[in-house]
Amino acid sequence: MSDSLFAPSGGPWIERLSAGAALLHGRACANDVRLLAEVEAVLEQAPLRGMETPGGQSMSVATSSCGDWGWVSDRRGYRYAAADPVSGHPWPAMPDALRDLARGAAAEAGFAGFDPDACLINCYLPGARMGLHQDKDERDFSAPIVSVSLGLPAAFLLGGLRRADKTFRILLRHGDVLVWGGPDRMRYHGVRPVQPGSHPLLGARRINLTFRKAR
DNA sequence: CAGTGACA
DNA sequence: AGTC
């Protein structure tokens, strides 16, 4: 008898969602303690902080970044910035373990050569969510988006190229890596409110790492 | 309660 | 990337 109907190999497996999107189940599990240590080290240099949308609303997710570019939002708009606006210093370097994970996952999903220069770190406490949006602040849409989920699970919504297009729900669990690019690069996406709970490594939170090629 | 569009 |  297999242990699980969903992981017959007992390890990571790839679910092809469409031509340019794939869910790599458990891809980050083997390395999770190391990855989290690297994330914590980044957050000591660039602490999580709340951001405001251009409309002046508070985002429910707390955010930081590492790499050459960090994603920031304020009343002036959404953009990538080379310096952390809180400290005025450059963002922490992207740890090799994180870059390697993103590159490996992208290659497995069909995007060999992915060279991320930005890693957005989003922290979701129970109740936090992300409305449907497109990632369109990057200069070059030829590179995919690589999203790593750690801690509490969340329901991810993957839509189409128009906001009103039908979405489908993907449960993202600790260690899952979702990759979308090519014809799927501009798909709308979002995250339903994170449900209360506790994860052995992270407690009552979900951390999402999103790797992009900003410039 | 999920989905959609208007407005910011 | 939010709220109504």
Side-chain angles (χ1 to χ4, degrees):
Chain A
M1 267 315 193
S2 66
D3 292 339
S4 165
L5 293 171
F6 303 103
S9 69
W13 60 288
I14 298 183
E15 180 180 0
R16 177 63 60 181
L17 302 171
S18 65
L23 176 54
L24 282 58
H25 291 265
R27 179 63 173 71
C29 282
N31 230 6
D32 58 358
V33 172
R34 167 82 190 282
L35 297 171
L36 283 166
E38 300 286 14
V39 170
E40 293 301 334
V42 166
L43 296 180
E44 286 179 20
Q45 302 301 123
L48 292 166
R49 80 293 304 269
M51 294 214 189
E52 283 190 358
T53 67
Q57 314 291 336
S58 295
M59 296 178 63
S60 59
V61 172
T63 297
S64 185
S65 286
C66 61
D68 292 341
W69 300 94
W71 185 88
V72 297
S73 175
D74 57 26
R75 276 146 307 213
R76 295 165 44 206
Y78 312 123
R79 63 194 176 278
Y80 284 95
D84 178 349
V86 170
S87 68
H89 298 129
W91 297 99
M94 190 185 302
D96 287 341
L98 300 188
R99 172 180 279 102
D100 291 347
L101 168 65
R103 289 181 60 86
E108 288 175 36
F111 299 98
F114 179 50
D115 184 26
D117 59 8
C119 173
L120 174 60
I121 302 167
N122 280 148
C123 182
Y124 296 70
L125 300 182
R129 56 202 153 92
M130 186 82 73
L132 266 193
H133 67 280
Q134 291 172 303
D135 288 357
K136 57 185 179 187
D137 303 316
E138 301 73 28
R139 174 181 290 173
D140 179 358
F141 298 147
S142 67
I145 304 291
V146 174
S147 168
V148 177
S149 294
L150 297 167
L152 289 179
F156 184 89
L157 299 176
L158 187 58
L161 302 183
R162 297 167 304 185
R163 189 176 181 270
D165 287 346
K166 189 165 80 79
T167 60
F168 60 99
R169 192 175 296 221
I170 302 166
L171 181 62
L172 296 180
R173 292 173 289 192
H174 176 78
D176 288 347
V177 181
L178 182 62
V179 180
W180 66 98
D184 299 308
R185 172 62 177 74
M186 302 307 290
R187 280 183 186 267
Y188 275 84
H189 55 280
V191 178
R192 300 290 301 148
V194 168
Q195 299 304 121
S198 182
H199 183 274
L201 284 181
L202 278 150
R205 59 192 171 135
R206 168 178 192 259
I207 288 183
N208 179 70
L209 309 175
T210 311
F211 297 86
R212 297 94 179 266
K213 179 76 175 168
R215 313 297 282 257

